[in-house]
């Protein structure tokens, strides 16, 4: 999966693997970065190893329940973040949380994930929830996302977008 975004290793080579396939300490280091936390309003306390283990177990439960969930995302076999699809209130929500030094890979990863969604008959559209702190939305719009309103989760406001995949 490549596009015009480049990395230190050349064009991105994105792959999706299960969260259980990457070292938990990679996820812990990722989630401990304050540059990442600033865009995660539901993250109310620093992560520790027990939280990582709980997070992985919860995401694996989604795979068991729904047959789909969040992945660890790799670029050239290097962990760059996590994301994927989670069924919430009857809608497939797409989430993406990248390491701060990999924020530029977002469009490449989203493109690959949306290609996956388009090939899955269960997914006629995806939603994306973004905190108001995310002000750069041009890439999201290039994917055909349209604003559908605002939602509140655990007292935090999010902007809700929809991307048709069928």
């Amino acid at each position: 999966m490549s596009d015009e975004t480049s990395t230190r290793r050349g064009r991105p080579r994105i792959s999706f693997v299960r969260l259980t396939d990457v070292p938990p300490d990679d996820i812990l280091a990722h989630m401990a970065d304050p540059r990442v936390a600033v865009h995660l309003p539901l993250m109310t306390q620093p992560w520790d190893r027990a939280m990582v283990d709980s997070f992985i177990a919860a995401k694996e439960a989604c795979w068991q329940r729904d047959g789909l969930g969040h992945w660890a995302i790799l670029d050239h076999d290097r962990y760059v973040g996590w994301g994927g699809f989670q069924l919430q209130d009857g809608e497939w929500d797409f989430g993406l949380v990248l390491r701060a030094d990999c924020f530029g890979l977002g469009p490449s990863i989203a493109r690959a994930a949306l290609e996956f969604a388009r090939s899955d008959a269960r997914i006629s559209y995806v939603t994306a929830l973004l905190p108001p702190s995310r002000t750069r939305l041009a890439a999201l719009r290039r994917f055909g996302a349209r604003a559908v309103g605002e939602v509140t989760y655990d007292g935090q406001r999010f902007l809700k977008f929809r991307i048709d995949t069928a």
Side-chain angles (χ1 to χ4, degrees), residues 68-139:
L68 190 57
H70 284 87
W71 299 288
I73 302 165
L74 309 178
D75 176 33
H76 294 270
D77 298 323
R78 179 178 71 106
Y79 173 79
V80 297
W82 57 268
F85 302 99
Q86 185 167 323
L87 194 57
Q88 296 196 109
D89 300 325
E91 298 179 313
W92 289 102
D93 185 66
F94 173 63
L96 181 60
V97 180
L98 297 177
R99 290 184 4 196
D101 63 333
C102 299
F103 284 169
L105 292 172
S108 295
I109 294 166
R111 186 172 293 108
L114 290 171
E115 285 177 20
F116 175 91
R118 286 183 181 98
S119 71
D120 190 312
R122 297 173 293 176
I123 305 174
S124 59
Y125 68 92
V126 297
T127 59
L129 302 179
L130 294 164
S133 66
R134 299 301 306 258
T135 58
R136 295 182 177 178
L137 304 176

Side-chain angles (χ1 to χ4, degrees), residues 11-24:
R11 290 195 172 284
R13 192 176 74 222
I14 304 302
S15 57
F16 302 117
V17 300
R18 295 292 274 270
L19 287 162
T20 53
D21 292 337
V22 299

